[in-house]
Amino acid sequence: MNMNIPFQNTYVHLPPRFFTRQTAVPVKAPRVIRFNAPLADELGITCDDSIEIAEVFAGNRQPGGADPLAQAYAGHQFGGFSPQLGDGRALLLGEVIDSAGQRRDIQLKGSGPTPYSRMGDGRAWLGPVLREYVVSEAMHALGLPTTRALAAVTTGETVYREAGGLPGAILTRVASSHLRVGTFQYFAARRDQDGLQALYDYTVARHYPHVEGPAHLLAEVIRRQARLIAGWMAVGFIHGVMNTDNTAISGETIDYGPCAFMDAYHPQTVFSSIDAHGRYAYDNQAHVIVWNMAQLATALVPLMPDQDEAIEDFTALVHAMPDQIETEWRSAFGRKIGIARATTADAALIGDLLARMADNRADFTNTFRALYSGSARDQFLDPAAFDDWETQWRARLTAEQDPKGIMAIANPAFIPRNHRIEQMIEAAVSGDFAPFERLLTVLANPYQDQPEASDLARPPHPSEVVQQTYCGT
Ligand code: AMP
Ligand code: MG
């Protein structure tokens, strides 16, 4: 049976300078690693032929109704502005309306060069493809807004990176859109008023139909991003490259590069090999997102009739964001310690626990998971550091109705730990995809105890600790 993807494309009808039409460069020997059938179902995609799946998601066969294109965007990378980025190794095949009535992009990542590739080869290797597959699907199961993984295929070709020749692969990513802060910056930097207006209209129609005016749009994006970043922090996630081109207007987590989940808690944790100064360290994420929203605000100013007034209004919105993040953070971490509606006094209690965890190298995930059972103290180098805190906390919990119930769905037992991801990639490179499949299965239910998978809940032994993670490029 031929694959049917019920495309209903809109981006391709935006002005031609928004993108470049581009077809995928066929690969030698595509093979399916994994096809996400439940997600395909949601998207109305029907196909039961694995050869067809391999051909389509490797870019060798263009499915009916696809209108592939590379999107143009700009962005601040580590604080420096690049006026011209764009999809250098990705192609938007098109859009579908999912079973919930939501428009979703279907994008190939690693499908060959585009006019935006600059020095890159337009390809991806197996490691980052599997990493994004596992981590994005885990993020979804953890309950956070994120792009999804629809398919992963190997190409039968070799991709050359610093480490040498590596197996090529392509990821098919699904997103509620690929509109980025950097997309707005692209048109603002060019003083392309019509382009900026068209992008604004498109964004509002697609994501925020109730919005009236750019200030309102900014406020909505800020609201979603504040919640997202607090959500990341509550699961110990470090994105690693929070450049403005990797910040989605939809509020979804996008672009899984050198991302990582923390094992032992420390607020300044950084994994990314390219983040030498810790710009995107764990607790800096709450500051950087405000900076990113300030860049969005700047890009939106030209849409306003009175620019001075706009600057004043937008500045107020951006300045209010840290408080919003704090509120979201307090509520997310409040639930992690069993408090339904955390107050500022509770925030001090949470802060105290985190400080003790940092001093004692306590595992972030396992400490919270073990809080209620009382075994959390074992996570501390000096268990007495926990006992002091526990006394105050237990006293506070007497005012709560269902702390245990709240905590059970706020504290995962399983996260995609770095060393497991690395081991999974190593196995896959030598042809063994069983660890990949197992991670996916276990991480699909992160809040459930799964005794048979207790090894995946264990922090790394010193010899297993991953010091650095690398970009997918
Ligand atoms: P990223 O770090 O994945 O967010 O990518 C930043 C920019 O570099 C985007 O414009 C990408 O399309 C581009 N890029 C990353 N890797 C490659 C590659 N292998 N070939 C071409 N462009 C790339
Ligand atoms: Mg990117």
Side-chain angles (χ1 to χ4, degrees):
M1 187 180 90
N2 281 342
M3 182 173 316
N4 179 45
I5 306 182
F7 285 113
Q8 295 191 33
N9 305 332
T10 58
Y11 209 84
V12 72
H13 301 302
L14 283 164
R17 60 191 183 284
F18 276 63
F19 56 85
T20 304
R21 273 204 165 92
Q22 175 76 47
T23 47
V25 179
V27 299
K28 211 160 69 187
R31 280 185 56 179
V32 182
I33 302 167
R34 172 99 179 182
F35 179 61
N36 190 340
L39 178 59
D41 249 13
E42 245 179 69
L43 303 176
I45 299 175
T46 48
C47 187
D48 47 22
D49 174 356
S50 77
I51 293 173
E52 176 92 0
I53 292 170
E55 293 276 321
V56 167
F57 295 116
N60 283 20
R61 192 180 310 171
Q62 193 170 303
D67 214 336
L69 59 88
Q71 293 178 325
Y73 53 85
H76 276 94
Q77 301 183 301
F78 291 89
F81 187 62
S82 299
Q84 170 81 60
L85 292 168
D87 292 331
R89 56 169 161 170
L91 288 180
L92 176 65
L93 284 184
E95 303 141 37
V96 297
I97 307 293
D98 70 15
S99 52
Q102 234 225 330
R103 182 173 297 281
R104 313 275 287 271
D105 278 4
I106 301 178
Q107 193 204 56
L108 300 182
K109 195 170 170 183
S111 47
T114 77
Y116 312 113
S117 297
R118 295 169 292 161
M119 305 298 283
D121 59 1
R123 293 298 186 189
W125 75 275
L126 184 60
V129 165
L130 297 184
R131 171 187 287 272
E132 175 155 353
Y133 200 120
V134 168
V135 181
S136 65
E137 287 300 298
M139 201 66 128
H140 172 70
L142 285 164
L144 291 166
T146 177
T147 61
R148 303 284 308 275
L150 177 62
V153 300
T154 47
T155 60
E157 296 181 354
T158 303
V159 170
Y160 295 91
R161 295 292 180 262
E162 260 170 59
L166 296 159
I170 298 175
L171 179 80
T172 303
R173 169 162 84 178
V174 174
S176 73
S177 84
H178 286 84
L179 297 167
R180 306 150 190 268
V181 170
T183 319
F184 282 87
Q185 291 181 292
Y186 181 86
F187 295 101
R190 282 164 180 69
R191 300 181 192 285
D192 180 349
Q193 191 72 21
D194 293 344
L196 195 58
Q197 186 66 49
L199 177 62
Y200 169 83
D201 293 339
Y202 181 84
T203 303
V204 168
R206 183 158 176 176
H207 291 291
Y208 300 96
H210 63 289
V211 149
E212 287 167 18
H216 195 181
L217 174 64
L218 178 63
E220 287 295 280
V221 177
I222 286 177
R223 190 172 59 79
R224 287 198 199 174
Q225 284 290 340
R227 176 163 297 177
L228 179 67
I229 284 13
W232 286 357
M233 295 184 81
V235 294
F237 180 73
I238 303 161
H239 182 284
V241 234
M242 284 176 70
N243 294 333
T244 58
D245 53 304
N246 294 339
T247 300
I249 298 295
S250 65
E252 283 181 345
T253 310
I254 192 170
D255 274 11
Y256 292 85
C259 61
F261 283 76
M262 258 191 310
D263 295 303
Y265 173 72
H266 196 284
Q268 283 299 314
T269 306
V270 179
F271 289 101
S272 169
S273 61
I274 54 170
D275 192 5
H277 304 291
R279 180 180 172 91
Y280 302 135
Y282 172 77
D283 72 343
N284 247 22
Q285 300 185 112
H287 304 295
V288 165
I289 194 61
V290 178
W291 193 88
N292 287 357
M293 290 298 102
Q295 307 319 309
L296 175 60
T298 304
L300 290 173
V301 166
L303 291 173
M304 301 296 283
D306 181 336
Q307 310 227 329
D308 290 337
E309 196 181 284
I311 290 169
E312 209 171 299
D313 293 351
F314 291 5
T315 303
L317 289 172
V318 173
H319 283 182
M321 191 183 188
D323 276 348
Q324 276 173 266
I325 297 173
E326 168 73 23
T327 305
E328 295 287 354
W329 181 92
R330 195 199 312 144
S331 122
F333 276 80
R335 290 192 294 273
K336 289 180 80 68
I337 64 166
I339 297 171
R341 265 172 293 278
T343 64
T344 41
D346 296 325
L349 187 65
I350 297 161
D352 185 22
L353 173 63
L354 290 171
R356 290 165 194 258
M357 286 168 63
D359 288 346
N360 285 275
R361 305 292 296 154
D363 184 81
F364 183 81
T365 303
N366 292 352
T367 301
F368 282 104
R369 183 75 178 179
L371 268 188
Y372 205 84
S373 66
S375 59
R377 68 190 307 274
D378 303 342
Q379 302 290 328
F380 289 69
L381 287 177
D382 172 15
F386 176 73
D387 299 338
D388 287 349
W389 181 83
E390 188 183 20
T391 312
Q392 304 168 52
W393 173 59
R394 297 259 175 214
R396 169 64 183 84
L397 283 195
T398 55
E400 291 295 320
Q401 304 220 312
D402 182 24
K404 196 175 182 180
I406 294 171
M407 291 171 73
I409 52 168
N411 296 318
F414 297 97
I415 50 155
R417 290 186 187 264
N418 274 321
H419 65 297
R420 294 302 182 186
I421 299 267
E422 295 297 328
Q423 290 164 6
M424 172 276 285
I425 291 171
E426 215 173 292
V429 168
S430 48
D432 175 11
F433 288 89
F436 167 69
E437 294 291 338
R438 180 164 182 248
L439 275 180
L440 282 177
T441 304
V442 172
L443 291 167
N445 296 295
Y447 296 102
Q448 256 169 45
D449 284 321
Q450 301 175 56
E452 71 290 355
S454 61
D455 57 311
L456 297 182
R458 172 177 69 66
H461 291 307
S463 66
E464 293 173 321
V465 172
V466 174
Q467 303 290 354
Q468 279 198 326
T469 52
Y470 297 87
C471 261
T473 48

